[in-house]
């Protein structure tokens, strides 16, 4: 599991270095591409200083839990949340005590990973 997370982090950091701020369905070819293409993850405000809001857009036909992980630039998971309620689309995260820097939000749904970055000031 740690190897998969490290590989995922390395791929995400490479994407961020290349200017990619959101990736979709990197793991395997989805069974229903239309379903996966509707999934979105974003963070606001950016930069954040007290509270960051992670907004997840899931189509109604999606069933199952998703996981939100926030990693610092050292690859350490600093926040994790299991999302079991598809109607709860905005997840507030208290970042006021976090060190200043860049963070990566990973949302994992089944075998698909979605990522975006944000800054804590």
């Amino acid at each position: 599991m740690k190897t998969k997370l490290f590989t995922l982090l390395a791929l995400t950091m490479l994407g961020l270095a290349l200017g990619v701020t959101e990736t979709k369905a990197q793991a395997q070819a989805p069974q229903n591409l239309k379903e996966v293409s509707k999934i979105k993850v974003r963070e606001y405000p950016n930069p954040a200083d007290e509270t960051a809001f992670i907004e997840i857009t899931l189509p109604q036909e999606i069933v199952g839990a998703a996981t939100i992980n926030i990693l610092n630039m050292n690859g350490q998971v600093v926040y994790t949340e299991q999302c079991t309620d598809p109607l709860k689309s905005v997840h507030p995260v208290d970042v006021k005590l976090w060190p200043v820097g860049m963070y990566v939000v990973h949302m994992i749904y089944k075998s698909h990973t979605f990522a975006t970055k944000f800054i804590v000031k």
Side-chain angles (χ1 to χ4, degrees):
M1 183 66 181
K2 286 186 177 183
T3 304
K4 286 184 181 180
L5 184 60
F6 180 75
T7 302
L8 181 61
L9 178 62
L11 288 173
T12 301
M13 292 178 82
L14 175 62
L16 294 174
L18 297 173
V20 176
T21 59
E22 185 174 299
T23 57
K24 296 180 182 175
Q26 294 176 345
Q28 298 175 358
Q31 291 179 342
N32 186 346
L33 185 57
K34 189 180 278 188
E35 175 185 285
V36 173
S37 69
K38 294 178 185 176
I39 298 173
K40 304 264 189 247
V41 178
R42 75 180 190 110
E43 182 281 334
Y44 61 90
N46 195 3
D49 57 0
E50 290 190 16
T51 303
F53 296 93
I54 311 300
E55 181 178 14
I56 299 173
T57 305
L58 298 172
Q60 289 183 343
E61 60 268 16
I62 286 193
V63 177
T67 303
I68 297 173
N69 290 320
I70 300 178
L71 294 85
N72 63 19
M73 287 291 100
N74 293 325
Q76 299 165 319
V77 177
V78 296
Y79 177 86
T80 189
E81 181 179 344
Q82 287 290 112
C83 305
T84 56
D85 183 359
L87 299 177
K88 182 181 178 188
S89 62
V90 178
H91 303 268
V93 180
D94 183 3
V95 299
K96 64 182 160 227
L97 298 178
W98 291 15
V100 171
M102 187 179 301
Y103 294 82
V104 178
V105 178
H106 280 156
M107 196 275 291
I108 302 166
Y109 172 72
K110 293 187 180 181
S111 62
H112 309 289
T113 300
F114 306 83
T116 188
K117 63 183 175 180
F118 73 101
I119 296 171
V120 171
K121 66 176 182 176

